[in-house]
Amino acid sequence: MASVMFRDETATGRALAEFSLPDLPDRITARELVRLRVREEVARYNASPAPHFRGLVTPTDAEAELNGYRMRTARTLDWERQADVAEAAFARNGFLLLVGDRQIETLDTEIDLTTDPVVSFVKLVPLVGG
């Protein structure tokens, strides 16, 4: 079984947040990794709902803030809905997915976690007027 380190980074490579998950299969698709990451962050939030959610994508009825999202009301989130939003965000280049030193182009890419245990997410911000 493999362990993976999920890391949020800026476009310059500075780490913003990270957490690890043990006991994962040695090989997994990028889609499964994205969904796993979202499931974990939603489970952590739901265990102790708070005014702020720090996750990959914006929950419904939340406002983006620096390093997270402000929830209008503390409530439980649906991880599957959040995972679907994350997949859609990836498809429209809302974030980059880096495994080791390579960029993942499709969610169907299979990843060997024994050789690349660090998975980085780089959120992309659309340019104003661009």
Side-chain angles (χ1 to χ4, degrees):
M1 298 302 277
S3 179
V4 68
M5 173 67 67
F6 291 104
R7 180 178 294 154
D8 289 340
E9 296 181 359
T10 65
T12 60
R14 184 173 58 89
L16 298 171
E18 63 184 33
F19 65 92
S20 67
L21 287 179
D23 302 326
L24 299 180
D26 292 343
R27 299 186 71 75
I28 191 168
T29 66
R31 180 181 322 278
E32 291 168 318
L33 270 178
V34 168
R35 294 185 74 81
L36 186 66
R37 181 241 161 100
V38 171
R39 187 181 76 200
E40 179 65 20
E41 69 192 14
V42 168
R44 290 177 185 204
Y45 174 81
N46 285 345
S48 182
H52 290 87
F53 173 73
R54 285 176 174 59
L56 184 59
V57 293
T58 311
T60 305
D61 296 331
E63 297 177 23
E65 287 188 338
L66 186 63
N67 298 326
Y69 307 100
R70 183 166 46 95
M71 304 293 288
R72 293 185 184 180
T73 59
R75 60 184 167 79
T76 58
L77 298 175
D78 178 350
W79 80 264
E80 289 176 316
R81 180 181 220 173
Q82 287 296 108
D84 292 343
V85 171
E87 284 186 38
F90 179 86
R92 68 174 185 282
N93 297 318
F95 63 90
L96 298 178
L97 181 58
L98 306 172
V99 177
D101 61 354
R102 69 185 172 115
Q103 182 176 339
I104 302 302
E105 301 289 334
T106 72
L107 289 177
D108 295 324
T109 302
E110 190 169 275
I111 298 161
D112 183 349
L113 294 177
T114 60
T115 59
D116 291 317
V118 177
V119 178
S120 299
F121 294 81
V122 181
K123 293 182 189 178
L124 301 176
V125 180
L127 298 174
V128 176

